[in-house]
Amino acid sequence: MRRFLNLFFLLAPFLFLLPSTAHAQSVPGFTLDDCMFELPAGALEGENVECGWLTVPEEHANPAGPTIRLAVVVVKSAEADPAPDPLVMLQGGPGGSTIDVFMSVLFPLGGDSPLRRNRDIVLFDQRGTLYSEPALTCPEIIKLTEDTIERRLTVSEANRLVLEAYTDCRRRLAGEGVNLAAYDSVENANDLEALRVALGYDQINVYGVSYGTLLALHAMRQNPDGLRAVILDSVAPPDVNFVTEVPRNMQRAFDELFRACAADAECNRTYPNLEAEFYKLVNRLNQEPIQIPITDSETGKTYDALLDGNSLINLTFQFMYATEAIPGLPKMITDLRDTGRSELLRVFWPVLAFDRTFAGGMYNTTLCAEDADLTEADINLDGVRDEVRAVNEGSADYFAALCRQWEVPALPASIDAPVISDIPTLIVNGQFDPITPPAFGEHAARTLSRSFVVTIPNGGHGSALSGRCAADILYAFLDNPTARPDTACLPAQVTFFTPRTIVMTPVIWRWLTGPGPLDFVIWGALALSMLFLLTPLAVYPLSFLIRMFGQKNAQPQPVRERLGRWFARALVVLAGLFAVGFIFGVVVAAFNTLFQDQFLLLHGLPRVSALLFVIPPLLIVVALTLLVCAVLAWRDKGWGVPGRLYFASLTLAVIVYLAALAPLGWLWVWT
């Protein structure tokens, strides 16, 4: 579960700035060491994973000065004789942990990653991030979240409190001797070349996502000889200031979502007028906020998080980063409107709120070195609705105040020049990307003469790693970077979660991740009733043998009565098999889905599971028939008193089983 949630943060809005034109200097080198993190299942240290440290100058222009250590992981190819040029992966942010995120991608639940086909994968936590030393994390922000998540704050109040928390973080880091001026894109990009040299590779392939695309672009400009091919996933071009475009890109993503649902007949039928309903819900929640219980997985503490309209806009924006979350957003909006509940919010809001892996200090240092001169007049609000404008209110003023407090030198304006290169480049866009829209990727491609642009129709942010098809496209490009990869496997559009596309039964996720006391009662009732309903498989054959050999001289009984008893016994055996088969089928379907699409599991099961849910209605009919049989059994002396009591108990077990299904909503599921 933890590794899957880490994957979600590949898509979080930790954005990006551009590296400089300085060349990397010589470095002390790379040393192997024990892995500095808990290995996921399937990762074996010394076999398919090697860890170590890259020591680099804190400032590359001063190679004799202080040094820092970058955490490095080499994930071995699944092939014994891999290609000589590895794939180096660059995480976004700035401030995201490459190792924390991509280890879960390379060793997913229940399988292996196609990315490891025929190349080693190199991961390194960029300077200032989680596993590297020092890490510029800001626990002060987590403390602020814990203190305020149940309170309603205005945008200006929230900005003020965050500014105070980051000021405390900066003061602490400076007191620990961290030279904040060294943690910017200039030094970060120099580290990438130092890594290639230290590991002894003639050439590398680079995959960058979000901020990682800017590091990759800088490498293309500065060290072209060391690069064989580059993949840019969710691009922020150096000559486009993404900060000023945030409100418009947020609005564009929402518009794409609502247009796609309206154009899909089933989505439009299930969630009519979604756009109007969303903004109506935003305004209602701003008038009357609600509380959503969310649990910090690290501390186990549950908070009644306050959800107002501004929070809903921000959370919906963040969920659109995840390609896998997009199909469920119409249902999330409708569930909140109708019931004030949402499994998507309950599960992933705490992941966003209590992320302790993100290095906020690195984010601020990098960002302030690039764009500290913004003003409110620079923010582009063309075509932005009032509801979206409200959540971006004062963002430039807050950012300028933060950078004044952070006190890092600005990088030269020359780093904003577009990158001109003929290195083979694959540019991957997500149609629903809320922060780096397809237009950004197309813009960057204008000066990359050997680039191919692929837009994933159902993709969010970082969509090049979402699904088998995208992985096949990536590796087709890496195998032959001079040819446009075949994209025929891409879907034509997003498939939204509706009762026609999945079996709507979201309770399964709660069973797998956080069952409550009532769930244990339900499980207990289901388990006991199923076990008892299996006993006829042994009791009835045994009693038949006893009657056959022990009552040879007994009076023959009427055929109709004997057939009636046989029918009743067969029916109760069938009920037991149905009961066990249904739960077994649901559990198997749930675990298969857990390994393939956890976001779907938040809302239900794949459509192929629909036949399972015919069983509960059939069991209702069986239970009613058994009740009639139980009454008739008391008038039939051929049953005997023990037989009557046993049959009545079995009938009661079927009723208990059905009663346990009722609070799960499984007695009648729209399939």
Side-chain angles (χ1 to χ4, degrees):
M1 175 65 181
R2 172 62 182 159
R3 289 186 288 112
F4 162 63
L5 296 181
N6 284 343
L7 175 57
F8 184 72
F9 276 103
L10 169 63
L11 313 169
F14 307 144
L15 301 177
F16 6 84
L17 301 192
L18 183 66
S20 85
T21 58
H23 288 280
Q25 306 294 323
S26 61
V27 295
F30 174 76
T31 55
L32 288 171
D33 201 355
D34 294 337
C35 289
M36 61 291 296
F37 59 96
E38 183 179 350
L39 291 171
L44 302 173
E45 189 168 358
E47 296 186 24
N48 57 10
V49 171
E50 290 182 347
C51 300
W53 300 95
L54 175 69
T55 302
V56 296
E58 188 175 49
E59 295 180 321
H60 283 268
N62 181 21
T67 60
I68 59 176
R69 298 204 304 171
L70 309 182
V72 179
V73 179
V74 178
V75 178
K76 299 297 185 180
S77 167
E79 290 189 3
D81 185 23
D85 42 273
L87 178 64
V88 179
M89 306 189 79
L90 306 176
Q91 165 62 325
S97 169
T98 301
I99 293 172
D100 197 54
V101 168
F102 288 116
M103 282 300 289
S104 63
V105 175
L106 298 175
F107 295 94
L109 288 171
D112 199 0
S113 170
L115 290 174
R116 296 177 53 220
R117 276 179 210 163
N118 60 354
R119 275 182 175 79
D120 291 349
I121 309 291
V122 180
L123 312 176
F124 78 104
D125 264 13
Q126 299 160 27
R127 59 172 55 210
T129 60
L130 183 63
Y131 294 114
S132 291
E133 298 175 351
L136 275 59
T137 55
C138 288
E140 294 84 354
I141 294 295
I142 299 298
K143 179 64 167 60
L144 175 62
T145 300
E146 294 170 341
D147 293 342
T148 61
I149 198 164
E150 296 182 333
R151 294 166 47 194
R152 187 175 190 186
L153 301 174
T154 65
V155 173
S156 60
E157 286 175 323
N159 286 344
R160 176 179 58 81
L161 291 172
V162 171
L163 180 60
E164 291 174 0
Y166 271 132
T167 301
D168 291 341
C169 178
R170 191 222 182 274
R171 187 180 300 115
R172 176 181 53 78
L173 291 172
E176 294 170 357
V178 177
N179 177 15
L180 293 174
Y183 293 82
D184 58 29
S185 295
V186 173
E187 305 293 352
N188 203 6
N190 287 337
D191 293 340
L192 176 61
E193 174 66 2
L195 177 71
R196 182 189 69 82
V197 172
L199 294 182
Y201 296 120
D202 292 332
Q203 283 193 316
I204 58 175
N205 304 285
V206 171
Y207 165 87
V209 59
S210 223
Y211 170 65
T213 65
L214 295 183
L215 292 181
L217 283 164
H218 177 65
M220 294 168 72
R221 177 159 51 194
Q222 280 309 119
N223 303 293
D225 293 341
L227 301 179
R228 174 180 175 269
V230 175
I231 299 167
L232 304 177
D233 184 3
S234 303
V235 187
D239 52 329
V240 175
N241 190 331
F242 83 91
V243 177
T244 63
E245 297 296 320
V246 168
R248 285 219 314 167
N249 288 336
M250 180 184 288
Q251 184 68 64
R252 186 206 70 88
F254 290 163
D255 293 345
E256 285 288 335
L257 174 68
F258 302 137
R259 274 198 294 267
C261 184
D264 182 295
E266 190 56 40
C267 185
N268 192 46
R269 184 181 302 114
T270 307
Y271 313 108
N273 305 313
L274 185 65
E275 180 175 13
E277 291 299 320
F278 174 72
Y279 291 114
K280 189 185 300 182
L281 177 61
V282 166
N283 290 310
R284 189 182 87 192
L285 289 174
N286 275 331
Q287 293 294 320
E288 300 177 3
I290 60 176
Q291 308 287 145
I292 303 285
I294 65 173
T295 301
D296 181 349
S297 61
E298 183 158 318
T299 66
K301 184 174 180 179
T302 297
Y303 299 84
D304 288 326
L306 187 139
L307 181 71
D308 60 13
N310 290 345
S311 300
L312 177 60
I313 282 185
N314 280 323
L315 286 166
T316 305
F317 169 73
Q318 302 235 21
F319 290 149
M320 291 192 72
Y321 277 72
T323 298
E324 294 83 359
I326 292 168
L329 290 179
K331 185 175 187 299
M332 180 197 80
I333 295 165
T334 304
D335 286 349
L336 282 170
R337 181 198 66 187
D338 295 343
T339 67
R341 296 174 58 96
S342 165
E343 288 298 301
L344 187 64
L345 273 180
R346 189 182 71 84
V347 172
F348 286 108
W349 189 355
V351 177
L352 293 165
F354 302 112
D355 176 27
R356 294 172 175 84
T357 69
F358 178 62
M362 179 61 181
Y363 177 83
N364 293 340
T365 298
T366 307
L367 209 63
C368 289
E370 303 283 344
D371 290 311
D373 56 347
L374 282 180
T375 67
E376 284 296 319
D378 297 318
I379 303 299
N380 192 339
L381 295 173
D382 294 344
V384 178
R385 289 182 60 117
D386 290 343
E387 295 89 346
V388 177
R389 286 176 180 239
V391 301
N392 292 282
E393 177 188 352
S395 58
D397 289 342
Y398 156 77
F399 180 61
L402 173 67
C403 292
R404 285 194 298 272
Q405 294 289 337
W406 212 255
E407 297 181 303
V408 293
L411 292 175
S414 59
I415 64 172
D416 292 334
V419 173
I420 301 172
S421 175
D422 62 358
I423 296 172
T425 305
L426 176 66
I427 293 175
V428 182
N429 305 313
Q431 185 62 35
F432 294 89
D433 190 331
I435 198 67
T436 54
F440 281 14
E442 293 161 2
H443 179 87
R446 294 173 188 172
T447 55
L448 304 176
S449 61
R450 301 173 72 190
S451 62
F452 306 108
V453 179
V454 173
T455 297
I456 297 182
N458 64 336
H461 191 65
S463 54
L465 298 181
S466 297
R468 185 78 187 211
C469 175
D472 288 343
I473 292 171
L474 260 61
Y475 250 94
F477 170 74
L478 290 174
D479 287 343
N480 185 3
T482 62
R484 176 177 292 277
D486 184 2
T487 60
C489 63
L490 288 174
Q493 60 189 32
V494 62
T495 301
F496 291 103
F497 295 156
T498 73
R500 297 285 182 175
T501 60
I502 70 170
V503 179
M504 294 288 196
T505 173
V507 72
I508 294 172
W509 183 271
R510 188 178 77 235
W511 275 17
L512 292 172
T513 59
L518 178 60
D519 294 302
F520 288 109
V521 172
I522 292 171
W523 267 113
L526 287 172
L528 291 174
S529 58
M530 284 191 297
L531 286 173
F532 189 60
L533 285 170
L534 289 177
T535 60
L537 294 175
V539 171
Y540 283 156
L542 183 61
S543 64
F544 172 77
L545 291 174
I546 292 173
R547 287 196 306 273
M548 186 172 65
F549 292 106
Q551 300 180 12
K552 292 183 179 180
N553 298 322
Q555 286 279 15
Q557 298 180 4
V559 173
R560 187 176 66 180
E561 292 181 1
R562 281 187 291 154
L563 288 177
R565 289 193 288 274
W566 274 104
F567 172 77
R569 290 169 181 146
L571 196 61
V572 81
V573 169
L574 183 65
L577 295 175
F578 273 179
V580 173
F582 174 69
I583 295 299
F584 178 78
V586 168
V587 169
V588 169
F591 276 96
N592 283 339
T593 308
L594 180 66
F595 296 136
Q596 296 171 14
D597 188 348
Q598 293 91 343
F599 280 91
L600 189 156
L601 199 59
L602 283 170
H603 305 284
L605 291 173
R607 186 64 191 168
V608 71
S609 307
L611 284 177
L612 282 172
F613 290 88
V614 175
I615 293 176
L618 287 176
L619 270 178
I620 294 174
V621 176
V622 170
L624 293 173
T625 307
L626 289 174
L627 281 172
V628 174
C629 291
V631 171
L632 294 175
W634 285 99
R635 299 170 59 185
D636 181 2
K637 295 181 180 180
W639 280 90
V641 173
R644 295 168 184 166
L645 290 173
Y646 179 57
F647 185 81
S649 299
L650 291 169
T651 302
L652 180 61
V654 176
I655 295 171
V656 169
Y657 177 90
L658 291 171
L661 295 184
L664 304 177
W666 285 354
L667 287 183
W668 189 270
V669 174
W670 185 7
T671 60

